[in-house]
Amino acid sequence: MTVLRRFRSDSPAGHRHRPWPSCRHCCGLALDLGSARTRAWLAGRGMILDVPTITFPGAGAVYPIQRGAIVDVPGTARMLDRLLSHRLPRLTRPLVVVTAPVLDGPAYRERARTAVEVLRPRAVLTVPTARAIALAVGADLSLPLLVVDVGAHLTEVVLLLDGLVFDARRTALGTADLAGAGATAEISEAITTMITSMLRQDRTSLTAEALTRGALLAGGGALRPDLTRRLIGGTHAPLRAVPAPHTAAIRGAAKILQAARGHPSTSGTSPP
């Protein structure tokens, strides 16, 4: 089922964080916690991790993140501890930036922060995945921008305005569901339906303007030419697959991390 929700600039997904810490020389870590894969980027070293999102509490394997939701916080913490604790410089407290699905809101951000505490962070900042994708490709955030993120188990369509979430839709479908006959058509139809719904409910021209400029396509789904062709045919609008679409979110989070670490202000002003 597709969940829809409209945001204002003062909504939880578009809120500004508390004061960003001055962190020019401390350790910095960017995280993209996906349902299928977990990716990590370490300041000064680049991508250090791209592995399945899985933990092993006993005899079997457990998937602590499902359909874009953290369903097992202790399991996520154990996974992060196993994968990252030995990779971080000793006696440091990292500044951590975590990507977050737009429509999971405060619950996801709170669970992510709780899980990341195992790494003894200096601070934890969260960023909507759609915004991270836009930053990764240097998109012009001063204009309305439509981002289509097709992950393994979750697809989001997000309208950004001035870098903040203006509107968003989601469906619990992704590339992991493409094995069955007609699955590509089902995901394409779901995305087209979400975009059409946004157009109909938008009392401004922002969605139409963003669609005319061309939506950004990211996530593993952007690597599927058949899906891309169907989307172009269904929306009758330009569609731009971002470079290395499956790692766009972590690259965007890394850019935010770099900006946060180099921010000169300690007065409590968030970077633009």
Side-chain angles (χ1 to χ4, degrees):
M1 182 177 68
T2 300
V3 179
L4 31 143
R5 182 166 156 199
R6 178 173 290 272
F7 289 90
R8 302 183 312 172
S9 60
D10 58 350
S11 68
H15 81 295
R16 296 190 182 278
H17 291 281
R18 290 173 292 181
W20 289 45
S22 178
C23 193
R24 289 179 179 274
H25 305 293
C26 70
C27 174
L29 180 70
L31 287 174
D32 181 26
L33 303 174
S35 301
R37 301 191 72 81
T38 289
R39 297 181 173 96
W41 187 98
L42 186 63
R45 291 182 55 188
M47 184 90 75
I48 60 169
L49 203 65
D50 186 348
V51 297
T53 302
I54 191 170
T55 187
F56 304 92
V62 173
Y63 300 89
I65 303 175
Q66 300 176 15
R67 300 288 175 184
I70 298 177
V71 297
D72 182 359
V73 176
T76 303
R78 287 193 300 270
M79 179 187 71
L80 293 175
D81 185 32
R82 172 175 58 87
L83 294 174
L84 291 170
S85 290
H86 66 287
R87 299 174 185 264
L88 299 176
R90 295 184 59 189
L91 305 178
T92 61
R93 301 188 63 185
L95 171 62
V96 181
V97 175
V98 184
T99 62
V102 170
L103 287 171
D104 275 332
Y108 185 97
R109 295 197 298 272
E110 184 61 32
R111 290 173 181 175
R113 289 190 180 106
T114 301
V116 170
E117 282 298 317
V118 73
L119 303 177
R120 299 181 66 252
R122 186 174 190 268
V124 180
L125 312 174
T126 58
V127 57
T129 300
R131 184 181 184 188
I133 290 168
L135 290 172
V137 299
D140 185 353
L141 294 179
S142 67
L143 299 173
L145 180 65
L146 198 64
V147 179
V148 180
D149 181 20
V150 186
H153 302 113
L154 181 72
T155 296
E156 288 194 322
V157 179
V158 182
L159 177 63
L160 297 175
L161 180 62
D162 292 328
L164 300 177
V165 177
F166 183 81
D167 200 358
R169 304 287 192 275
R170 74 184 293 177
T171 184
L173 291 171
T175 56
D177 304 301
L178 289 176
T184 300
E186 183 180 0
I187 294 178
S188 174
E189 182 179 349
I191 294 171
T192 302
T193 299
M194 289 188 284
I195 293 175
T196 301
S197 175
M198 294 172 75
L199 285 167
R200 289 175 176 173
Q201 296 185 22
D202 188 355
R203 297 181 181 180
T204 71
S205 62
L206 296 174
T207 305
E209 181 182 345
L211 192 59
T212 300
R213 291 178 58 216
L216 292 182
L217 179 62
L223 298 172
R224 299 288 301 251
D226 53 340
L227 179 60
T228 302
R229 286 194 298 269
R230 283 184 175 275
L231 285 176
I232 293 175
T235 60
H236 305 289
L239 194 65
R240 295 174 290 162
V242 306
H246 55 304
T247 61
I250 188 66
R251 299 196 320 267
K255 283 192 173 184
I256 293 175
L257 177 63
Q258 290 172 319
R261 294 176 72 238
H263 198 276
S265 172
T266 56
S267 63
T269 302
S270 295

